[in-house]
Amino acid sequence: MKVRPIAAVAIAALASSALGIAFAQTPAPQPATPAAPAALSESLPVPPAPAIQGKAWVLMDYATGQVLAGSNQDERVEPASITKVMTSYVVASEMKAGKVHATDQVMMSEHAWREGGAGTEGSYSGFEVNKTAPLIDMEKGMVIQSGNDAAIALAEHVAGSEDAFGALMNAYAARIGLKNSHWVNPHGLSAPDHYSTAHDLALLGQALIRDFPEAYSYNRIKEFTVGPITQQNRNLLLWRDPSVDGIKTGHHSGAGYCLMASAKRGDQRLISVVMGSTSENQRAVDSQALLNWGFRFFETHRLYDAGKAISKQHVWKGAADEVQLGVAGPMLVSTPRGKYAQLKPSMDIPKTLVAPIAKGQKIGTVKVTLDGKVIAQRPLVALEAVEEGGFFKRLWDELMMWWKS
């Protein structure tokens, strides 16, 4: 066995010790700082809307009327008791015109009772036959309890008969802008030529909320009592989501289970319509999923206020040389969250404007595009009148126009 000299061992030990000290004094490498995410979730593409078990459905932004998602939204469907939203709109319109009043005594006629009362297969309010009740109570019986009898009684009171009321329904539907609907009765029981679409129904809900907020407020009431009978509102979302304040359910064998719902969270309101679902619970589950999806991934922005100048344009032959252009009503737009900065506005305006110009006269169009698609457009109108200039002003401008051409 070979023995190393003590001096050599000592030197080796000292070297190892020194090397160890050197290693100990060298800072250990620090872990690299994690890289920031490439983008926040708001900048990612909007995921597909939830899968819906219905024949037709749509989700619409209330303020802008933009359809955020939908399937078969323009296909004709039987509206069932969602028809009563149209009935509410007609009654509220006739009240505003002073033709009927909230305190009117409305008769529950024998016809209304036989066609829509307790002896029928449909929903009923419970008002006694051949007796009267205040119009506002009869309307709540229709809205909250979905009473077919109350709907018929209201139609008879407002127009004299269901047929006449149907004509009123179609006239008001045309005024609202419902292009694919036709109404023949006030309750929604199946009938030839009685139809609507998911999109039209969303527009109807928008109109009721906008034009008659008091009438709309009845839709959030959870129960109503007529005589000894208390019935609950069939809209399950009123118990599940505090942001939901309407609107109306519907069901019969031809229509399936239907629900028009609306919710407001902060300053944003959405309207969902699910038609031809498979059950009372499924229509509520699907409507809730649509509303949650819409609120999570979309937001509403006010781009231009009514009556405020967007552009100034030169005017020839006028008493003034310029005219201010703007929009007659507020211009709002719905965008995926995080996309607001990517909006691109543009204006289509005639190259030459010649006086006289009337206040409110349409001059051009303002358009807003996102990812190459027009998502909103409104007429540009003159915010002030521009009268014709004097003889020499018109003559001079005529010469300058010829020169520049």
Side-chain angles (χ1 to χ4, degrees), residues 3-16:
V3 179
R4 299 172 63 187
I6 294 176
V9 173
I11 292 171
L14 286 171
S16 298

Side-chain angles (χ1 to χ4, degrees), residues 228-257:
I229 302 172
T230 298
Q231 297 185 70
Q232 290 190 331
N233 196 313
R234 292 166 173 79
N235 184 356
L236 298 179
L237 293 187
L238 294 176
W239 284 267
R240 299 179 181 181
D241 183 345
S243 70
V244 172
D245 54 13
I247 306 177
K248 189 72 188 74
T249 62
H251 171 255
H252 61 62
S253 58
Y257 291 86

Side-chain angles (χ1 to χ4, degrees), residues 65-84:
Q66 285 177 240
V67 172
L68 307 182
S71 176
N72 300 324
Q73 63 260 35
D74 293 316
E75 181 177 319
R76 288 184 181 181
V77 293
E78 293 194 61
S81 280
I82 295 179
T83 296
K84 289 161 185 159

